[in-house]
Structure formats: C-alpha cells, structure tokens
Amino acid sequence: MEKSVIKFSHCHRDIFCFFVPDQCPECGESLSGKRLEEAPVSIPNPFSNGHKTPCAFLVASAEDRLLRDFDGQSDLHTGITNTNGVVYNYTCAGVQREAQGWERCICVPLVQPDMFSLISQWDQYLEKFSTAQMWDPLWQSFNEESHNCFSFTLMFINCVLATQSKRALSKDEFTHSFVLPRIKRASKYIMLCGQITQNHFYTVNNPRRNSQDDPMEENNQN
C-alpha cells in the first residue's frame, strides 16, 4: 500500500510529506503543541484499482504493469472495464480480458450510478463490440498509429454514446477533456512522491501568495 501524501502550512510555506514532523523543515521551529497555519490535509491519490472501478476507461503504463509510472516517456495502454472489473483491452494479439494487472491506473468512470438501463446492458455491449471482426488480428493487424488500444476504447465509448442518442467524441476532444488533465495530475503526484522519498519533504510558497508554486494546484477540478 502506498503512503499518503500530506500537506500542511508553516512559515508561509506549503510542506508536503508522508507524516507531520516534530520540527518545521524550513525554519526549524518545533511543531509540537503548535497550531499550524492550516490543518494538515491529505492529497488525493490520482491512481485507482481499475478492477474495482466498473464501467470505466482506464489508462496505465504499457511498459511495466507493476510500476505504471506516468513519466511522460513511457507508452500508455488503455482499456475498458465491465461491470465486474474485468479489463477489456486491445493488443497485437487481439482483445484481452484481464481480471488482474490493472491495480494502479488512472480511471475515468463512464456511467452515472443511476444509469440502470445502460449498466444492465454494459457487459453485453462490451462483449459484442470486442468480438467484432475488426479486432481479430487475423482480419486486421494492430497498428500503433491508427488501429490500437486507444482506437478500441474510444470507438466503444462512441458506440455507447450512440445508443444514448449522444454525439460522438473525437480523439482530440476526448483526450484533452478527460485524459490529459488526469495524466498531468498523476505525473505531478509521482514527482511529488519522488521528492518526498528522496528528501523527506517538498516545500513550495503558499499558493495564497503564489498559486503557480503549488504542484497539485493545476486542474484541481479533475
């Protein structure tokens, strides 16, 4: 289990760490019995267990399923979960159905809890879509640019939207609206954890004085 990142404020600095220390790492003042400028808060972990997130779009590192680091250099892999958390994902060997291996990834829920009709048909839609001839490697080969895992997931999403009489999403629209903000946040979170692991703390100017210094401030609504 990963350690939780905590943020607290002292001497006009925001301090990120895995635990509140006895002394401020910036000024050295004892924090025992002292009232902090703000109560410590836990920074939300952007990663989730994809197998526990039904009916969702998943993004993970394609190079190492255990680490799944979003460092901007690793290739990414995408998939869709059914109602039981099985991940359907398209590879050069065709559509894979995986009940494990996606325990740490970015999850984008695709349905609302009250969409009972869609949820009841989700598995049927996903299975039928996945058995289509276009995903059979004997009929059409995997292509990293034009016929890949993202093609599979986005096309399925658009098929579901069509059943709801909603317009299709373009690759750029879906990427910029739903994927990139979460990937950027995950990348910042990884950087933050790396700095804390190496130096025990990571400090920045209080965002009330300079919001650009908060490493987790951007896209806070996602």
Side-chain angles (χ1 to χ4, degrees):
M1 181 179 295
E2 294 185 9
K3 298 178 181 177
S4 297
V5 176
I6 298 171
K7 182 184 78 170
F8 69 94
S9 299
H10 193 264
C11 59
H12 305 295
R13 301 281 286 177
D14 275 351
I15 302 168
F16 296 83
C17 52
F18 292 135
F19 60 90
V20 178
D22 294 330
Q23 294 180 323
C24 175
E26 283 292 307
C27 68
E29 181 181 350
S30 174
L31 299 178
S32 299
K34 298 285 186 179
R35 181 178 179 180
L36 300 175
E37 296 172 14
E38 294 180 1
V41 296
S42 178
I43 302 299
N45 189 327
F47 298 102
S48 302
N49 185 339
H51 300 294
K52 294 184 178 181
T53 312
C55 307
F57 168 86
L58 309 183
V59 185
S61 170
E63 297 181 357
D64 191 330
R65 292 292 183 82
L66 295 177
L67 295 178
R68 296 181 184 275
D69 284 343
F70 292 73
D71 55 8
Q73 300 177 357
S74 302
D75 290 333
L76 300 178
H77 192 46
T78 63
I80 300 286
T81 53
N82 68 6
T83 58
N84 295 313
V86 175
V87 182
Y88 285 61
N89 59 101
Y90 179 62
T91 71
C92 58
V95 177
Q96 308 299 308
R97 297 160 179 82
E98 298 175 327
Q100 60 182 6
W102 296 74
E103 288 78 14
R104 185 171 182 261
C105 55
I106 292 174
C107 300
V108 183
L110 298 174
V111 299
Q112 298 296 325
D114 60 352
M115 300 175 72
F116 304 113
S117 177
L118 177 56
I119 293 174
S120 67
Q121 301 178 79
W122 187 268
D123 290 353
Q124 180 182 346
Y125 287 154
L126 184 54
E127 186 62 34
K128 183 177 180 180
F129 177 81
S130 300
T131 55
Q133 193 175 40
M134 67 181 304
W135 309 118
D136 184 345
L138 297 178
W139 187 81
Q140 185 170 353
S141 299
F142 182 95
N143 183 287
E144 292 187 357
E145 298 297 328
S146 60
H147 194 67
N148 51 36
C149 62
F150 193 79
S151 307
F152 172 81
T153 52
L154 182 58
M155 191 174 296
F156 173 73
I157 291 171
N158 280 329
C159 285
V160 172
L161 289 174
T163 68
Q164 305 295 302
S165 300
K166 297 180 180 179
R167 68 177 183 85
L169 297 171
S170 68
K171 179 179 179 180
D172 287 343
E173 184 178 10
F174 183 75
T175 300
H176 287 284
S177 298
F178 299 100
V179 182
L180 282 183
R182 289 173 169 85
I183 288 179
K184 289 180 180 179
R185 188 164 185 81
S187 179
K188 288 183 178 183
Y189 188 86
I190 290 173
M191 178 277 295
L192 194 58
C193 289
Q195 290 289 332
I196 297 172
T197 299
Q198 182 177 354
N199 304 309
H200 303 294
F201 305 98
Y202 184 74
T203 64
V204 295
N205 288 333
N206 191 296
R208 288 177 297 182
R209 301 179 65 183
N210 185 355
S211 61
Q212 295 180 348
D213 286 333
D214 190 339
M216 303 302 293
E217 182 74 13
E218 182 176 298
N219 298 312
N220 209 27
Q221 70 275 17
N222 291 297

